[in-house]
């Protein structure tokens, strides 16, 4: 297995612009528990996006916070809603490899680092990413890719591969359902050292047997988001 560089070290002299225009911490966010231990999910029909949406935004309204956070390499119970997460080996992909930021549709997203548009695609279909943009960054000679999923369709209308995106530039937004892959509005944010040949797409969820493989490829994106609650 290839030894990957330390993201924290590569970012040590690089000022980061907050992904959502403000750093996320306990003052403006709550953790969203979508693990099998959350028995409240038994009462939610996750295949009904309206009901799922009411559950997510009901929690945010009760908390008085702007953002809900879904964690990095978190075991999830919500992926049974779509056949997208089945695998050819008859196991199931339910380990979340990025960070989710649940917020209102239309919430802007900003480039945390200088980069270029590597690729983009509308990964349409129930439970998929919907509109997706991947940026390519260079940090001290190392390439790093960042993925932004569940965007608005309009975000793909005016970008081109190779376009420079400056740090702090608002270049996309959280999309509404159903165009965002038919999810309650949120951003799936993920980092990759290697895209493994993917274009405008990359797995955001893996099976238990793939955890070590993908942890080596996908560093923790929290450094670009804020001091997230546990």
């Amino acid at each position: 297995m290839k030894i990957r560089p330390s993201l924290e070290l590569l970012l040590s002299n690089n000022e980061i612009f907050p992904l959502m225009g403000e750093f996320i911490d306990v003052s403006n966010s709550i953790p969203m528990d979508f693990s099998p231990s959350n028995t409240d999910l038994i009462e939610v029909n996750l295949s009904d996006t309206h009901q799922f949406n009411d559950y997510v935004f009901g929690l945010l309204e009760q908390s008085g916070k702007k953002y809900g956070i879904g964690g990095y390499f978190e075991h999830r119970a919500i992926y049974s809603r779509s056949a997208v997460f089945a695998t050819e080996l008859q196991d199931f992909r339910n380990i979340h490899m990025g960070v989710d930021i649940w917020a209102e549709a239309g919430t802007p997203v900003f480039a945390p680092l200088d980069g270029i548009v590597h690729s983009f695609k509308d990964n349409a279909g129930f439970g998929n990413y919907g509109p997706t943009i991947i940026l390519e960054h260079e940090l001290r000679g190392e390439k790093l890719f960042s993925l932004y999923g569940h965007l608005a369709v309009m975000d793909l209308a005016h970008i081109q591969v190779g376009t420079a995106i400056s740090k702090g530039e608002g270049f996309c937004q959280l999309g509404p359902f159903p165009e965002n892959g038919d999810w309650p509005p949120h951003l799936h944010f993920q980092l990759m050292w290697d895209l493994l040949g993917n274009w405008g797409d990359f797995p955001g969820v893996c099976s238990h047997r793939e955890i070590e493989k993908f942890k080596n490829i996908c560093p923790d994106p929290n450094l670009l988001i804020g001091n997230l609650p546990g």
Side-chain angles (χ1 to χ4, degrees):
M1 185 178 291
K2 182 176 179 180
I3 298 175
R4 303 291 180 182
S6 163
L7 180 59
E8 188 169 10
L9 180 61
L10 293 178
L11 291 173
S12 59
N13 292 320
N14 198 325
E15 185 177 352
I16 298 162
F17 192 89
L19 183 68
M20 306 307 293
E22 57 183 332
F23 283 114
I24 297 177
D25 56 27
V26 294
S27 71
N28 57 14
S29 70
I30 58 169
M32 292 264 179
D33 180 8
F34 294 122
S35 72
S37 63
N38 182 0
T39 56
D40 289 345
L41 295 177
I42 297 172
E43 306 300 323
V44 181
N45 179 4
L46 297 172
S47 296
D48 182 333
T49 307
H50 288 278
Q51 191 176 142
F52 190 4
N53 185 77
D54 288 345
Y55 173 73
V56 168
F57 285 91
L59 292 176
L60 284 176
E61 183 176 0
Q62 290 171 20
S63 72
K65 303 294 176 68
K66 184 176 180 179
Y67 305 106
I69 302 299
Y72 170 68
F73 274 87
E74 176 180 75
H75 182 198
R76 294 266 179 98
I78 59 176
Y79 297 124
S80 58
R81 72 190 304 260
S82 173
V84 165
F85 302 103
T87 76
E88 294 178 359
L89 296 180
Q90 305 305 310
D91 56 1
F92 203 76
R93 297 189 300 127
N94 56 12
I95 305 298
H96 186 246
M97 304 193 304
V99 169
D100 284 339
I101 302 173
W102 307 80
E104 295 288 348
T107 301
V109 179
F110 302 85
L113 302 164
D114 290 334
I116 62 169
V117 176
H118 172 275
S119 52
F120 59 92
K121 180 181 177 183
D122 187 354
N123 295 290
F126 182 76
N128 212 326
Y129 278 137
T132 309
I133 298 174
I134 296 177
L135 301 185
E136 179 181 326
H137 314 276
E138 185 167 321
L139 300 172
R140 302 186 186 182
E142 297 282 351
K143 283 188 178 181
L144 177 70
F145 301 92
S146 57
L147 181 148
Y148 309 79
H150 308 300
L151 307 178
V153 169
M154 68 176 66
D155 292 331
L156 306 186
H158 304 294
I159 62 170
Q160 295 181 338
V161 172
T163 298
I165 304 292
S166 300
K167 178 169 60 180
E169 181 177 343
F171 70 100
C172 61
Q173 62 189 299
L174 275 61
F177 65 87
E179 68 184 61
N180 69 349
D182 216 343
W183 291 90
H186 72 287
L187 175 72
H188 177 91
F189 179 60
Q190 185 170 319
L191 301 178
M192 297 81 61
W193 295 116
D194 186 342
L195 289 177
L196 304 178
N198 287 281
W199 184 265
D201 193 10
F202 191 89
V205 184
C206 72
S207 66
H208 285 263
R209 65 181 171 81
E210 300 172 306
I211 288 175
E212 290 309 311
K213 169 188 172 181
F214 281 108
K215 266 200 169 179
N216 189 50
I217 295 171
C218 302
D220 188 342
N222 285 324
L223 286 170
L224 303 181
I225 297 173
N227 182 23
L228 297 179

